[in-house]
Amino acid sequence: MVSSRIPGLHQLDRMGRLQRLHDAGWLSDADVESLADGRALDSTRADKIIENALGVYALPFGVATNFRINARDYLIPMVIEEPSVVASASHAARIVRAAGGFAASSTGRLMVGQVQLLEVPDLEAAEREIRLHGDALIGLANDAHPAMVRRGGGARGVEVHHVLADDGEEMLVLHLLVDTRDAMGANTINTMVEAVAPAAEILSGGRACLRILSNYTDHCLAGASCTIAADLLTSGDYDGRQVVDGIVAAGRLAEADLHRAVTHNKGVMNGVDAVLIATGNDWRAIEAAAHAYASRSGRYRSMTAWRKDEAGNLVGNLELPMPVGLVGGSIGLNPGTRVAHALLGLSRAEELAQVVVAVGLAQNLGALKALVTHGIQRGHMALQARSVALLAGAPSAEVDRVAKELVKRGDITVAGARELLAGPA
Ligand code: MEV
């Protein structure tokens, strides 16, 4: 197994990092070439992907190190414009790694398609008919998408839901449960629900209105957890036990207070979205599902749970709907996405779902640890100082020295960095 613990990676310049990851076996020649040239999605292709395309828009592509999930090392591709996120995820993953790594799992991978049925004369009778003919409906759905069936997927079940509209009308909604294998499967599901809708109308005596997938994928969940001994959380003057108590207290606020819950969850999604974007997944769908899942008790709450066990360890959990795909959609059209998949080296979408949730948990741990100790500004300032030193023309070997001195002087400006680089007058 190639190790994701790569000390000093952040101190190298970009080409040095590519070389190091290549030498360690993480990147192939083609991956290095693609990243070195900043080879982006080409505009001819972009023109075929969306309407009225004018060009392409690039974002930084980085890697978080130190991740060990279910006893396997991963280098995590992250696409994000915000400084500190990659560093914080890597820092948290290093602590969790020392504690044995993340444990991650998933609960199935069934997606949901909905058929809304209006003007149903007898709701109970309609439900009975639909249930009775469930296998026939599944057959119709599968006939509409033989390619998915050939790949080993297909419709697996039918559910009937009664939904009370705000105006008091009760509607019947048919749910088609679909195994989309390693694809997110939006097109497959939409094709299938359109195919079963006429039969659902006949069985219910009603009229089909919406026929569309649901992004609330509560039959496709992934979870990650970690258990960290307090001494691994010691940070400068902060004793590990203090840090455990601080993180548990921060978690309790996020459980109980909407203002904090949203910020807490935004931090989780910093990590989740960065991996989803890097891997070409539909992050809006997963954002929507994640926030809805955080509200499943009837109140919006924190996505993660942090508690202290009897031995004083910090125990963290995160479970989210995670309908990611490894194939299909626009995955594969973007050279960056291809490198992200090569770095992860996954064979199943379920594994990607577990990786994404582990990154979300790490991201939350990194933010909370900083917040309950020295605060997040110190780390931000240090990163900002590095960028400023680089902007002032510092050679790689000088960047850290100059950045440290800028932070010490409290003068993080290009002029200050130039002065330091010029040496004493
Ligand atoms: C910043 O992008 C994310 C944080 O605000 C998350 C948090 O407060 O937990 C640091």
Side-chain angles (χ1 to χ4, degrees):
M1 178 170 71
V2 187
S3 175
S4 65
R5 173 98 191 91
I6 308 174
L9 188 69
H10 66 286
Q11 283 155 346
L12 300 173
D13 62 13
R14 196 173 69 85
M15 296 310 289
R17 274 181 220 127
L18 287 170
Q19 190 59 51
R20 180 81 168 266
L21 296 186
H22 178 268
D23 294 348
W26 284 105
L27 293 174
S28 68
D29 291 344
D31 297 336
V32 171
E33 226 173 88
S34 164
L35 290 167
D37 296 355
R39 203 172 294 160
L41 175 67
D42 72 66
S43 17
T44 320
R45 215 171 249 200
D47 196 23
K48 299 280 175 279
I49 299 178
I50 62 160
E51 309 72 40
N52 295 346
L54 299 177
V56 291
Y57 177 105
L59 285 169
F61 178 121
V63 282
T65 53
N66 303 325
F67 274 82
R68 179 164 289 172
I69 305 164
N70 292 340
R72 199 196 131 178
D73 274 26
Y74 296 88
L75 213 54
I76 310 291
M78 298 179 89
V79 169
I80 189 156
E81 85 297 345
E82 185 177 333
S84 295
V85 169
V86 174
S88 176
S90 305
H91 173 70
R94 186 172 166 193
I95 295 170
V96 176
R97 178 188 190 84
F102 293 94
S105 60
S106 3
T107 58
R109 234 185 102 77
L110 286 180
M111 310 298 171
V112 175
Q114 295 189 298
V115 181
Q116 177 192 24
L117 293 162
L118 301 176
E119 298 149 25
V120 176
D122 180 341
L123 293 163
E124 303 306 327
E127 176 172 353
R128 267 198 313 277
E129 282 301 296
I130 291 173
R131 286 192 190 287
L132 200 64
H133 294 88
D135 286 345
L137 290 167
I138 290 171
L140 283 172
N142 286 334
D143 287 348
H145 213 302
M148 182 52 76
V149 177
R150 274 198 301 278
R151 292 212 295 273
R156 297 281 186 257
V158 170
E159 292 177 348
V160 184
H161 294 256
H162 293 249
V163 177
L164 193 61
D166 284 354
D167 62 6
E169 189 197 345
E170 200 174 335
M171 290 173 266
L172 219 54
V173 182
L174 181 155
H175 282 195
L176 187 69
L177 306 184
V178 186
D179 174 353
T180 56
R181 307 310 283 173
D182 288 312
M184 187 227 183
N187 285 326
T188 306
I189 299 163
N190 293 341
T191 302
M192 287 183 169
V193 284
E194 287 187 9
V196 303
E201 285 183 326
I202 295 169
L203 292 169
S204 66
R207 179 171 63 84
C209 185
L210 295 184
R211 296 146 300 158
I212 183 76
L213 91 166
S214 167
N215 288 123
Y216 190 59
T217 54
D218 52 348
H219 294 277
C220 178
L221 302 172
S225 64
C226 57
T227 300
I228 309 165
D231 58 356
L232 292 172
L233 290 160
T234 297
S235 174
D237 295 340
Y238 297 89
D239 180 78
R241 284 168 302 186
Q242 247 180 304
V243 180
V244 172
D245 290 340
I247 291 177
V248 172
R252 282 173 49 231
L253 180 61
E255 281 291 320
D257 175 67
L258 184 60
H259 281 86
R260 177 56 205 156
V262 172
T263 319
H264 180 105
N265 291 345
K266 186 274 183 186
V268 172
M269 299 312 283
N270 272 346
V272 168
D273 285 343
V275 186
L276 294 176
I277 296 171
T279 54
N281 274 286
D282 181 346
W283 74 96
R284 286 89 55 212
I286 292 169
E287 273 276 348
H291 296 288
Y293 196 64
S295 312
R296 68 192 181 284
S297 66
R299 183 158 62 79
Y300 186 81
R301 309 169 81 97
S302 69
M303 292 171 181
T304 56
W306 292 103
R307 63 179 180 82
K308 182 162 80 168
D309 71 10
E310 277 168 11
N313 301 314
L314 178 68
V315 182
N317 280 286
L318 171 63
E319 183 179 70
L320 288 175
M322 200 47 69
V324 286
L326 269 191
V327 293
S330 61
I331 297 170
L333 294 178
N334 188 319
T337 305
R338 273 204 297 275
V339 175
H341 283 277
L343 267 171
L344 286 165
L346 306 171
S347 53
R348 290 176 312 124
E350 220 172 325
E351 194 181 348
L352 175 58
Q354 294 171 11
V355 167
V356 175
V357 176
V359 176
L361 187 59
Q363 205 71 59
N364 186 230
L365 173 64
L368 294 184
K369 178 171 173 275
L371 287 168
V372 304
T373 56
H374 46 73
I376 60 162
Q377 284 311 93
R378 199 176 78 178
H380 273 268
M381 287 307 160
L383 283 168
Q384 172 72 3
R386 284 168 57 85
S387 309
V388 167
L390 282 166
L391 275 175
S396 308
E398 287 285 292
V399 169
D400 280 343
R401 178 187 71 79
V402 174
K404 262 193 202 126
E405 193 54 33
L406 289 174
V407 172
K408 205 162 110 197
R409 289 186 179 184
D411 171 31
I412 306 173
T413 59
V414 174
R418 287 208 177 111
E419 199 180 293
L420 283 168
L421 284 165

